[in-house]
Amino acid sequence: MAGADYRRPTGRGERGTDRPVPAVLPPSLGAWLGLTALLASLVAGVLGVLYAGHAEPDGVDRWILRPTADSVRPPWRGVALAVDFLAEPAGAAMLVVAAATGCLLLRRPRAAVLVVAGTGMTVGTTSLLKPLVGRTIHGEGNLSYPSGHTAFLTAFALVVALLAISQFRIGRTAGASLVFAASLGAGAAMGWAQVALGAHYPTDVLGGWCTALAVVPASAWLVDRVADRLGDRGAGPMVDAGRRERR
């Protein structure tokens, strides 16, 4: 669409060509996603401080739904378990491998890196935050804030949305709508499953969702910066060689 720029003007193209490489963080959405990441970081941080060391749901959690082991009955319990599996190690690995493989088949190695880095850094962040916050559910040792399952599926959906925007050159308004719908849909689905199965409080889910919204844009920005720098370094000797051949 007019006015949307999805390619970096600098650096070496993929596979050693001079064609600019598609950015995994669409420039048209950079400022909006940056602001979103900042606000999400603040929300996740505030919630972490409020619930640090807590072992019970607060008024907000009870108002939404008090987590118990039998919050849902069949057949909805089966649905919740199926959604939960998507963020279990085996399910998450399947999603990441499938998405990364698809990116490589499309000759988008930078996008494949984002699939792994975006989801990996999000899950890693939740793992670091849990012992720092120290909120538990159903006894000592069951750290619950933020929800790693919710963070993973939200991050995965957000990464896929960003790659679709870049691949199909979707405009700013439609791109922002796609990012919002994908992240909200994935976060709501996994959040419902986690609360229904009694694995997390609703506020844990919100914290996991915000963590993904904060980490993925930063991961995409970092992947683009590193890839551009590596491309610039690789392009230098090739440009010099081309100049010598023309002499």
Side-chain angles (χ1 to χ4, degrees):
M1 297 181 66
D5 178 13
Y6 296 97
R7 297 182 180 276
R8 299 281 174 185
T10 61
R12 195 72 177 171
E14 290 171 332
R15 291 185 171 273
T17 69
D18 289 318
R19 183 180 62 188
V21 181
V24 292
L25 181 64
S28 61
L29 296 180
W32 180 76
L33 286 173
L35 179 59
T36 299
L38 177 60
L39 293 175
S41 299
L42 291 175
V43 173
V46 169
L47 290 176
V49 172
L50 289 176
Y51 299 119
H54 286 206
E56 294 290 337
D58 75 341
V60 175
D61 295 317
R62 292 191 180 94
W63 178 73
I64 298 175
L65 179 65
R66 184 182 179 92
T68 61
D70 57 353
S71 294
V72 291
R73 304 294 179 87
W76 288 108
R77 184 171 179 80
V79 175
L81 288 170
V83 174
D84 175 77
F85 173 76
L86 295 177
E88 289 292 310
M94 289 172 56
L95 289 178
V96 171
V97 169
T101 300
C103 291
L104 293 176
L105 291 176
L106 291 172
R107 298 183 179 181
R108 297 286 306 279
R110 185 185 297 202
V113 171
L114 177 62
V115 171
V116 178
T119 56
M121 291 178 68
T122 299
V123 173
T125 300
T126 62
S127 299
L128 291 174
L129 289 175
K130 283 185 176 181
L132 292 176
V133 176
R135 191 185 198 190
T136 59
I137 186 171
H138 305 316
E140 293 293 330
N142 297 317
L143 298 174
S144 65
Y145 183 90
S147 168
H149 281 61
T150 306
F152 167 78
L153 196 62
T154 302
F156 181 79
L158 184 52
V159 166
V160 172
L162 291 177
L163 300 183
I165 292 169
S166 175
Q167 182 70 22
F168 300 109
R169 302 189 182 185
I170 299 174
R172 178 181 302 174
T173 302
S177 299
L178 177 60
V179 165
F180 178 76
S183 59
L184 183 61
M190 184 58 75
W192 166 79
Q194 294 308 297
V195 174
L197 294 173
H200 285 283
Y201 305 115
T203 43
D204 295 336
V205 167
L206 178 58
W209 186 67
C210 288
T211 301
L213 291 179
V215 174
V216 170
S219 301
W221 179 87
L222 183 62
V223 168
D224 279 332
R225 296 287 82 71
V226 172
D228 286 344
R229 285 197 174 187
L230 292 177
D232 288 341
R233 291 177 182 177
M238 298 179 70
V239 171
D240 292 339
R243 288 174 177 171
R244 286 194 297 268
E245 290 177 359
R246 290 193 294 270
R247 289 178 181 175

